Amino acid sequence: MKRDLKTIVFKVNPENPDEEKINVAAEVIRRGGIVAFPTETVYGLGVDALNKEAVKRMYEVKGRPPDNPTIVHIAEFNDVYRLAVDVPEVAEELMKRFWPGPLTIVLKASNIVPRITTGGLETVGIRMPKHNVALALIKASKTPIAAPSANIAGKPSPTTAQHVIQDFYGSIDVILDAGPTKIGVESTVLDLTTKPPQILRPGGVTYEELKEVLGDIIVHKAAKAKEDIPIDEVKSPGMKYRHYAPKAELIVVEGETDKIIKEINKLINEYSKMGRRVGVMATDETVKNYEMGIVKSVGSRSDLSTIARNLFRILREFDDEGVELILAEGVPEEGLGLAIMNRLRKASGYKVIHVS
Ligand code: AMP
Ligand code: MG
Protein backbone atom coordinates (compact mmCIF):
# COMPACT_ATOMS: atom_id res chain seq x y z
CA MET A 1 0.00 0.00 0.00
CA LYS A 2 1.33 3.43 -0.98
CA ARG A 3 1.86 5.84 1.87
CA ASP A 4 1.87 9.16 0.08
CA LEU A 5 -1.15 10.88 1.64
CA LYS A 6 -0.77 13.73 4.09
CA THR A 7 -2.43 12.16 7.11
CA ILE A 8 -3.74 14.67 9.66
CA VAL A 9 -3.42 13.50 13.27
CA PHE A 10 -5.73 15.41 15.64
CA LYS A 11 -5.47 15.06 19.40
CA VAL A 12 -9.03 15.20 20.72
CA ASN A 13 -10.48 15.22 24.20
CA PRO A 14 -12.19 11.83 24.71
CA GLU A 15 -15.05 13.37 26.71
CA ASN A 16 -15.55 16.75 25.01
CA PRO A 17 -14.13 16.52 21.51
CA ASP A 18 -13.22 19.79 19.84
CA GLU A 19 -16.03 20.62 17.42
CA GLU A 20 -13.75 22.11 14.76
CA LYS A 21 -11.60 18.99 14.52
CA ILE A 22 -14.66 16.75 14.43
CA ASN A 23 -16.09 18.87 11.62
CA VAL A 24 -12.91 18.56 9.55
CA ALA A 25 -13.00 14.77 10.02
CA ALA A 26 -16.72 14.60 9.21
CA GLU A 27 -16.17 16.57 6.01
CA VAL A 28 -13.54 13.98 5.02
CA ILE A 29 -16.08 11.18 5.63
CA ARG A 30 -18.74 13.02 3.60
CA ARG A 31 -16.29 13.35 0.70
CA GLY A 32 -15.55 9.62 0.71
CA GLY A 33 -12.29 9.74 2.70
CA ILE A 34 -11.01 7.53 5.52
CA VAL A 35 -10.92 8.62 9.18
CA ALA A 36 -9.54 6.45 12.00
CA PHE A 37 -11.40 7.15 15.22
CA PRO A 38 -11.54 5.82 18.80
CA THR A 39 -14.41 3.78 20.18
CA GLU A 40 -14.74 2.24 23.65
CA THR A 41 -13.48 -1.11 22.23
CA VAL A 42 -10.66 -0.46 19.74
CA TYR A 43 -9.87 2.19 17.09
CA GLY A 44 -11.95 1.95 13.90
CA LEU A 45 -11.09 2.69 10.25
CA GLY A 46 -14.15 4.70 9.28
CA VAL A 47 -15.80 5.53 5.96
CA ASP A 48 -19.31 6.49 4.83
CA ALA A 49 -21.10 3.11 5.03
CA LEU A 50 -23.38 4.05 2.13
CA ASN A 51 -20.59 5.12 -0.25
CA LYS A 52 -19.43 2.08 -2.25
CA GLU A 53 -16.24 3.71 -3.49
CA ALA A 54 -15.21 4.78 -0.01
CA VAL A 55 -15.90 1.33 1.42
CA LYS A 56 -13.92 -0.26 -1.41
CA ARG A 57 -10.92 1.98 -0.73
CA MET A 58 -11.10 1.19 2.99
CA TYR A 59 -10.99 -2.57 2.25
CA GLU A 60 -7.97 -2.03 -0.02
CA VAL A 61 -6.06 0.09 2.47
CA LYS A 62 -6.68 -2.42 5.25
CA GLY A 63 -5.98 -5.44 3.04
CA ARG A 64 -9.30 -6.88 4.17
CA PRO A 65 -10.71 -9.76 2.10
CA PRO A 66 -13.91 -8.53 0.38
CA ASP A 67 -16.08 -11.27 1.92
CA ASN A 68 -15.34 -10.16 5.52
CA PRO A 69 -18.25 -7.89 6.52
CA THR A 70 -17.79 -4.55 8.28
CA ILE A 71 -19.76 -3.21 11.24
CA VAL A 72 -21.92 -0.14 10.59
CA HIS A 73 -21.72 2.44 13.40
CA ILE A 74 -24.65 4.73 14.18
CA ALA A 75 -25.41 7.52 16.65
CA GLU A 76 -29.25 7.51 16.55
CA PHE A 77 -31.44 4.53 17.40
CA ASN A 78 -33.73 5.33 14.44
CA ASP A 79 -30.98 4.61 11.94
CA VAL A 80 -31.45 0.90 12.64
CA TYR A 81 -34.74 1.05 10.74
CA ARG A 82 -33.09 2.65 7.70
CA LEU A 83 -30.31 0.09 7.57
CA ALA A 84 -32.26 -3.04 8.49
CA VAL A 85 -35.65 -4.63 7.77
CA ASP A 86 -37.74 -7.12 9.78
CA VAL A 87 -36.18 -5.86 13.03
CA PRO A 88 -37.36 -8.23 15.78
CA GLU A 89 -38.70 -6.87 19.06
CA VAL A 90 -35.85 -8.41 20.97
CA ALA A 91 -33.45 -6.16 19.03
CA GLU A 92 -35.11 -3.14 20.62
CA GLU A 93 -34.76 -4.61 24.05
CA LEU A 94 -31.06 -5.22 23.45
CA MET A 95 -30.54 -1.73 22.01
CA LYS A 96 -32.18 -0.15 25.07
CA ARG A 97 -30.13 -2.22 27.45
CA PHE A 98 -26.69 -2.25 25.79
CA TRP A 99 -26.45 0.80 23.48
CA PRO A 100 -24.40 2.80 23.32
CA GLY A 101 -21.99 -0.05 24.00
CA PRO A 102 -19.92 -2.97 22.71
CA LEU A 103 -22.75 -5.01 21.17
CA THR A 104 -23.15 -5.45 17.40
CA ILE A 105 -26.46 -6.87 16.26
CA VAL A 106 -26.77 -8.66 12.94
CA LEU A 107 -30.09 -8.01 11.15
CA LYS A 108 -31.53 -8.40 7.66
CA ALA A 109 -30.04 -5.58 5.57
CA SER A 110 -32.20 -2.95 3.84
CA ASN A 111 -31.64 -1.90 0.23
CA ILE A 112 -29.73 1.24 1.10
CA VAL A 113 -26.77 -0.74 2.48
CA PRO A 114 -24.27 -1.49 -0.31
CA ARG A 115 -23.42 -5.19 -0.34
CA ILE A 116 -19.74 -4.31 -0.42
CA THR A 117 -20.25 -3.03 3.15
CA THR A 118 -21.76 -6.35 4.27
CA GLY A 119 -19.12 -8.47 2.55
CA GLY A 120 -21.78 -9.59 0.08
CA LEU A 121 -24.15 -10.85 2.80
CA GLU A 122 -27.88 -10.04 2.99
CA THR A 123 -27.39 -9.17 6.66
CA VAL A 124 -25.85 -6.10 8.28
CA GLY A 125 -24.01 -5.76 11.61
CA ILE A 126 -24.92 -2.52 13.44
CA ARG A 127 -23.78 -0.93 16.66
CA MET A 128 -23.80 2.37 18.56
CA PRO A 129 -20.37 2.94 20.13
CA LYS A 130 -20.04 4.35 23.64
CA HIS A 131 -17.47 7.01 22.94
CA ASN A 132 -18.10 10.73 22.61
CA VAL A 133 -15.59 11.14 19.78
CA ALA A 134 -17.15 8.32 17.74
CA LEU A 135 -20.68 9.60 18.38
CA ALA A 136 -19.75 13.20 17.53
CA LEU A 137 -18.06 12.07 14.31
CA ILE A 138 -21.03 9.97 13.17
CA LYS A 139 -23.49 12.78 13.96
CA ALA A 140 -21.42 15.44 12.19
CA SER A 141 -20.92 13.15 9.17
CA LYS A 142 -24.70 12.75 8.91
CA THR A 143 -24.24 9.19 7.66
CA PRO A 144 -23.64 5.78 9.25
CA ILE A 145 -19.94 4.93 9.40
CA ALA A 146 -18.63 1.52 8.32
CA ALA A 147 -15.57 0.70 10.37
CA PRO A 148 -13.51 -2.42 10.88
CA SER A 149 -10.72 -2.31 13.43
CA ALA A 150 -7.99 0.13 12.32
CA ASN A 151 -5.22 -2.41 11.82
CA ILE A 152 -3.73 -4.01 8.70
CA ALA A 153 -5.78 -7.20 8.18
CA GLY A 154 -4.53 -10.04 10.35
CA LYS A 155 -2.57 -7.93 12.86
CA PRO A 156 -3.47 -7.24 16.51
CA SER A 157 -6.25 -4.66 16.84
CA PRO A 158 -5.30 -1.05 17.68
CA THR A 159 -5.99 0.25 21.16
CA THR A 160 -3.99 3.48 20.82
CA ALA A 161 -3.64 6.07 18.04
CA GLN A 162 0.06 5.11 17.93
CA HIS A 163 -0.94 1.64 16.72
CA VAL A 164 -3.04 3.23 13.97
CA ILE A 165 -0.17 5.52 12.97
CA GLN A 166 2.13 2.47 12.67
CA ASP A 167 -0.25 0.76 10.26
CA PHE A 168 -1.81 3.63 8.29
CA TYR A 169 0.19 6.88 8.48
CA GLY A 170 0.30 8.16 4.90
CA SER A 171 -2.45 5.88 3.61
CA ILE A 172 -5.55 7.41 5.26
CA ASP A 173 -6.80 10.99 5.62
CA VAL A 174 -7.33 11.64 9.32
CA ILE A 175 -6.51 9.96 12.65
CA LEU A 176 -8.41 11.14 15.73
CA ASP A 177 -6.25 10.48 18.78
CA ALA A 178 -8.20 10.34 22.05
CA GLY A 179 -5.78 8.14 23.99
CA PRO A 180 -6.02 4.44 24.81
CA THR A 181 -9.37 2.68 24.44
CA LYS A 182 -11.18 1.47 27.57
CA ILE A 183 -12.34 -2.04 26.75
CA GLY A 184 -9.55 -3.20 24.48
CA VAL A 185 -11.34 -6.11 22.77
CA GLU A 186 -13.91 -5.68 20.03
CA SER A 187 -17.70 -5.69 20.33
CA THR A 188 -19.73 -8.85 20.76
CA VAL A 189 -21.34 -9.81 17.44
CA LEU A 190 -24.83 -11.25 17.97
CA ASP A 191 -26.83 -12.70 15.07
CA LEU A 192 -30.56 -12.02 15.53
CA THR A 193 -31.56 -13.53 12.19
CA THR A 194 -31.43 -17.06 13.65
CA LYS A 195 -33.40 -18.74 16.40
CA PRO A 196 -32.05 -18.87 19.02
CA PRO A 197 -29.75 -15.84 18.58
CA GLN A 198 -26.11 -16.74 18.18
CA ILE A 199 -22.94 -15.07 19.40
CA LEU A 200 -20.69 -15.05 16.33
CA ARG A 201 -17.87 -13.27 18.11
CA PRO A 202 -17.56 -12.87 21.89
CA GLY A 203 -16.62 -9.34 22.97
CA GLY A 204 -17.23 -6.47 25.36
CA VAL A 205 -20.77 -7.52 26.29
CA THR A 206 -20.59 -10.97 27.90
CA TYR A 207 -22.51 -14.16 27.16
CA GLU A 208 -23.82 -14.05 30.74
CA GLU A 209 -25.25 -10.52 30.29
CA LEU A 210 -26.95 -11.46 27.02
CA LYS A 211 -28.33 -14.67 28.48
CA GLU A 212 -29.97 -12.63 31.22
CA VAL A 213 -31.96 -10.65 28.63
CA LEU A 214 -32.51 -13.30 25.97
CA GLY A 215 -32.77 -16.53 27.94
CA ASP A 216 -32.13 -18.74 24.97
CA ILE A 217 -28.83 -18.01 23.26
CA ILE A 218 -25.97 -20.00 21.79
CA VAL A 219 -22.31 -19.32 21.18
CA HIS A 220 -21.29 -20.24 17.64
CA LYS A 221 -18.76 -23.02 17.81
CA ALA A 222 -16.17 -21.07 15.82
CA ALA A 223 -16.20 -18.48 18.61
CA LYS A 224 -15.16 -21.04 21.22
CA ALA A 225 -13.00 -23.18 18.98
CA LYS A 226 -9.61 -24.39 20.13
CA GLU A 227 -8.75 -25.41 16.58
CA ASP A 228 -9.53 -24.26 13.07
CA ILE A 229 -13.15 -24.82 12.01
CA PRO A 230 -13.82 -26.08 8.46
CA ILE A 231 -14.83 -23.20 6.20
CA ASP A 232 -18.28 -24.61 5.41
CA GLU A 233 -19.13 -24.47 9.11
CA VAL A 234 -18.41 -20.79 9.66
CA LYS A 235 -21.36 -18.42 9.80
CA SER A 236 -19.88 -15.39 8.14
CA PRO A 237 -17.01 -15.84 5.70
CA GLY A 238 -15.04 -13.35 7.74
CA MET A 239 -14.73 -15.86 10.55
CA LYS A 240 -12.34 -17.98 8.52
CA TYR A 241 -9.47 -15.52 8.32
CA ARG A 242 -6.38 -15.38 10.51
CA HIS A 243 -6.77 -12.58 13.02
CA TYR A 244 -5.02 -10.57 15.69
CA ALA A 245 -1.63 -12.21 15.01
CA PRO A 246 1.63 -10.68 16.21
CA LYS A 247 4.76 -11.20 14.06
CA ALA A 248 6.12 -13.50 16.75
CA GLU A 249 5.00 -17.10 17.02
CA LEU A 250 2.43 -17.41 19.80
CA ILE A 251 1.63 -20.44 21.94
CA VAL A 252 -1.27 -20.36 24.41
CA VAL A 253 -1.10 -22.56 27.50
CA GLU A 254 -4.48 -23.30 29.08
CA GLY A 255 -5.53 -25.16 32.22
CA GLU A 256 -5.07 -24.73 35.96
CA THR A 257 -2.87 -21.80 36.85
CA ASP A 258 -0.11 -23.70 38.69
CA LYS A 259 0.16 -26.19 35.83
CA ILE A 260 0.29 -23.37 33.28
CA ILE A 261 3.23 -21.84 35.16
CA LYS A 262 5.07 -25.17 35.25
CA GLU A 263 4.52 -25.79 31.54
CA ILE A 264 5.55 -22.29 30.50
CA ASN A 265 8.73 -22.48 32.59
CA LYS A 266 9.55 -25.77 30.88
CA LEU A 267 8.92 -24.24 27.44
CA ILE A 268 10.99 -21.10 28.19
CA ASN A 269 13.88 -23.37 29.06
CA GLU A 270 13.58 -25.49 25.96
CA TYR A 271 13.18 -22.61 23.53
CA SER A 272 15.80 -20.39 25.13
CA LYS A 273 18.31 -23.22 24.74
CA MET A 274 17.45 -23.26 21.05
CA GLY A 275 18.53 -19.62 20.99
CA ARG A 276 15.07 -18.12 20.57
CA ARG A 277 14.07 -14.81 22.09
CA VAL A 278 11.13 -15.80 24.30
CA GLY A 279 8.43 -13.57 25.79
CA VAL A 280 5.94 -14.54 28.47
CA MET A 281 2.50 -12.98 28.71
CA ALA A 282 1.79 -13.50 32.40
CA THR A 283 -0.71 -11.99 34.83
CA ASP A 284 -0.26 -9.87 37.99
CA GLU A 285 -0.78 -12.96 40.11
CA THR A 286 1.76 -15.14 38.27
CA VAL A 287 4.39 -12.76 36.92
CA LYS A 288 6.89 -13.50 39.72
CA ASN A 289 6.99 -17.20 38.83
CA TYR A 290 9.07 -16.77 35.69
CA GLU A 291 12.80 -16.23 35.92
CA MET A 292 13.79 -16.27 32.28
CA GLY A 293 12.56 -14.59 29.12
CA ILE A 294 10.94 -11.19 28.64
CA VAL A 295 8.07 -11.33 31.10
CA LYS A 296 5.10 -8.93 31.00
CA SER A 297 1.90 -8.90 32.99
CA VAL A 298 -1.19 -8.32 30.86
CA GLY A 299 -3.47 -7.62 33.85
CA SER A 300 -5.12 -9.25 36.83
CA ARG A 301 -6.84 -12.62 36.90
CA SER A 302 -9.22 -11.19 39.49
CA ASP A 303 -10.40 -8.47 37.04
CA LEU A 304 -10.45 -9.77 33.47
CA SER A 305 -11.34 -6.31 32.12
CA THR A 306 -7.72 -5.30 32.82
CA ILE A 307 -6.49 -8.20 30.67
CA ALA A 308 -8.90 -7.35 27.84
CA ARG A 309 -7.73 -3.73 27.93
CA ASN A 310 -4.02 -4.56 27.64
CA LEU A 311 -4.06 -7.70 25.47
CA PHE A 312 -3.45 -6.27 21.99
CA ARG A 313 -1.02 -3.60 23.24
CA ILE A 314 1.15 -6.24 24.92
CA LEU A 315 1.19 -8.41 21.78
CA ARG A 316 2.40 -5.41 19.78
CA GLU A 317 5.00 -4.58 22.45
CA PHE A 318 6.53 -8.04 22.19
CA ASP A 319 6.86 -7.51 18.44
CA ASP A 320 8.46 -4.09 18.95
CA GLU A 321 11.01 -5.71 21.27
CA GLY A 322 11.95 -8.37 18.75
CA VAL A 323 10.50 -11.31 20.66
CA GLU A 324 10.34 -14.40 18.43
CA LEU A 325 8.11 -16.63 20.53
CA ILE A 326 5.38 -15.52 22.95
CA LEU A 327 4.11 -17.96 25.58
CA ALA A 328 0.73 -16.74 26.83
CA GLU A 329 -1.21 -17.89 29.88
CA GLY A 330 -4.84 -18.84 29.27
CA VAL A 331 -7.62 -17.55 31.55
CA PRO A 332 -11.01 -19.10 32.44
CA GLU A 333 -13.69 -18.60 29.77
CA GLU A 334 -16.06 -16.71 32.05
CA GLY A 335 -17.27 -13.16 31.50
CA LEU A 336 -14.73 -11.32 29.37
CA GLY A 337 -12.57 -14.45 29.51
CA LEU A 338 -14.51 -15.88 26.55
CA ALA A 339 -13.51 -12.91 24.34
CA ILE A 340 -9.93 -12.94 25.63
CA MET A 341 -9.47 -16.64 24.87
CA ASN A 342 -11.14 -16.29 21.45
CA ARG A 343 -8.61 -13.56 20.52
CA LEU A 344 -5.61 -15.40 21.97
CA ARG A 345 -6.40 -18.72 20.29
CA LYS A 346 -6.96 -17.06 16.92
CA ALA A 347 -3.83 -14.93 17.32
CA SER A 348 -1.85 -18.13 17.93
CA GLY A 349 -3.25 -19.78 14.81
CA TYR A 350 -4.68 -22.32 17.30
CA LYS A 351 -1.32 -23.28 18.78
CA VAL A 352 -2.91 -24.21 22.08
CA ILE A 353 -1.47 -26.49 24.76
CA HIS A 354 -3.90 -27.78 27.36
CA VAL A 355 -2.33 -28.83 30.66
CA SER A 356 -4.33 -30.86 33.13
P1 AMP B 1 -13.84 -5.94 12.81
O1 AMP B 1 -14.64 -4.76 12.43
O2 AMP B 1 -12.50 -6.01 12.16
O3 AMP B 1 -13.77 -6.04 14.29
O4 AMP B 1 -14.66 -7.18 12.30
C1 AMP B 1 -16.07 -7.11 12.24
C2 AMP B 1 -16.67 -8.39 12.70
O5 AMP B 1 -18.07 -8.34 12.64
C3 AMP B 1 -16.22 -9.56 11.86
O6 AMP B 1 -15.93 -10.64 12.72
C4 AMP B 1 -17.43 -9.84 11.00
O7 AMP B 1 -17.46 -11.18 10.58
C5 AMP B 1 -18.59 -9.44 11.93
N1 AMP B 1 -19.75 -9.03 11.15
C6 AMP B 1 -20.03 -7.81 10.67
N2 AMP B 1 -21.18 -7.81 9.96
C7 AMP B 1 -21.62 -9.07 9.97
C8 AMP B 1 -22.74 -9.73 9.39
N3 AMP B 1 -23.61 -9.09 8.62
N4 AMP B 1 -22.87 -11.05 9.61
C9 AMP B 1 -21.97 -11.71 10.35
N5 AMP B 1 -20.90 -11.16 10.93
C10 AMP B 1 -20.72 -9.85 10.74
MG1 MG C 1 -10.64 -6.62 13.19
Side-chain angles (χ1 to χ4, degrees):
M1 184 47 60
K2 273 195 287 183
R3 288 192 167 214
D4 51 6
L5 278 184
K6 241 189 145 44
T7 304
I8 306 172
V9 181
F10 280 138
K11 283 230 187 288
V12 285
N13 184 304
E15 302 304 330
N16 301 302
D18 183 331
E19 217 174 295
E20 264 174 53
K21 292 174 184 169
I22 293 294
N23 284 338
V24 170
E27 186 56 30
V28 168
I29 294 277
R30 275 200 297 275
R31 291 189 181 169
I34 306 179
V35 175
F37 63 98
T39 75
E40 79 280 35
T41 59
V42 302
Y43 274 75
L45 197 62
V47 291
D48 177 352
L50 308 181
N51 178 336
K52 283 185 213 170
E53 287 305 314
V55 175
K56 183 160 174 274
R57 205 164 327 115
M58 177 272 284
Y59 271 76
E60 282 166 6
V61 164
K62 182 171 158 92
R64 189 176 182 91
D67 61 355
N68 189 357
T70 294
I71 293 166
V72 178
H73 295 72
I74 59 173
E76 314 272 356
F77 285 86
N78 274 339
D79 278 342
V80 169
Y81 304 94
R82 285 210 299 143
L83 300 166
V85 294
D86 303 342
V87 180
E89 241 171 69
V90 66
E92 274 167 45
E93 228 173 295
L94 291 168
M95 282 150 53
K96 272 191 210 130
R97 173 94 158 69
F98 296 106
W99 282 5
L103 177 69
T104 296
I105 54 179
V106 173
L107 299 164
K108 211 169 145 201
S110 76
N111 288 334
I112 71 161
V113 185
R115 292 314 188 247
I116 185 173
T117 303
T118 67
L121 297 172
E122 290 304 310
T123 55
V124 59
I126 308 175
R127 91 171 185 104
M128 187 185 290
K130 189 176 181 166
H131 195 296
N132 286 350
V133 174
L135 292 170
L137 177 68
I138 300 164
K139 278 183 195 153
S141 302
K142 299 189 174 73
T143 184
I145 294 186
S149 50
N151 53 281
I152 300 281
K155 295 220 306 186
S157 302
T159 57
T160 67
Q162 215 48 45
H163 298 157
V164 183
I165 288 169
Q166 271 174 8
D167 283 10
F168 295 116
Y169 193 85
S171 61
I172 65 175
D173 301 290
V174 177
I175 298 172
L176 298 176
D177 176 359
T181 60
K182 284 207 174 106
I183 296 181
V185 291
E186 297 86 341
S187 61
T188 303
V189 178
L190 180 70
D191 188 351
L192 291 180
T193 67
T194 57
K195 276 202 174 109
Q198 281 192 73
I199 294 181
L200 303 183
R201 174 178 76 183
V205 170
T206 64
Y207 164 80
E208 292 85 347
E209 287 173 289
L210 289 171
K211 176 126 184 125
E212 219 181 276
V213 178
L214 295 171
D216 204 8
I217 176 176
I218 53 177
V219 181
H220 192 280
K221 69 176 175 188
K224 281 195 294 195
K226 295 188 186 178
E227 55 193 73
D228 239 333
I229 293 280
I231 286 170
D232 54 348
E233 289 181 33
V234 302
K235 173 81 189 181
S236 120
M239 291 165 94
K240 70 178 182 253
Y241 296 107
R242 181 112 195 260
H243 267 108
Y244 319 120
K247 285 186 225 129
E249 184 183 353
L250 171 63
I251 298 175
V252 186
V253 183
E254 302 183 21
E256 284 166 30
T257 310
D258 48 341
K259 290 183 178 144
I260 292 177
I261 294 168
K262 223 171 128 197
E263 179 70 17
I264 290 184
N265 270 315
K266 193 186 97 194
L267 292 171
I268 305 175
N269 240 306
E270 282 174 21
Y271 284 106
S272 301
K273 272 191 202 139
M274 290 160 63
R276 295 186 73 185
R277 198 170 155 81
V278 180
V280 179
M281 193 161 96
T283 48
D284 294 352
E285 291 81 0
T286 61
V287 72
K288 288 213 177 77
N289 293 287
Y290 303 104
E291 277 165 18
M292 284 168 66
I294 298 174
V295 185
K296 295 176 188 287
S297 173
V298 65
S300 168
R301 287 176 169 273
S302 67
D303 180 0
L304 294 179
S305 72
T306 59
I307 297 182
R309 189 177 308 136
N310 297 322
L311 182 67
F312 289 126
R313 177 175 56 81
I314 297 280
L315 289 178
R316 282 183 182 247
E317 274 181 26
F318 278 125
D319 275 347
D320 293 342
E321 291 171 33
V323 165
E324 294 159 308
L325 171 70
I326 304 166
L327 302 167
E329 293 180 4
V331 297
E333 278 176 296
E334 289 147 21
L336 281 173
L338 188 64
I340 292 166
M341 292 315 295
N342 166 274
R343 304 304 188 278
L344 268 180
R345 289 173 186 149
K346 282 193 170 200
S348 75
Y350 299 99
K351 285 196 199 112
V352 178
I353 296 175
H354 195 92
V355 284
S356 57

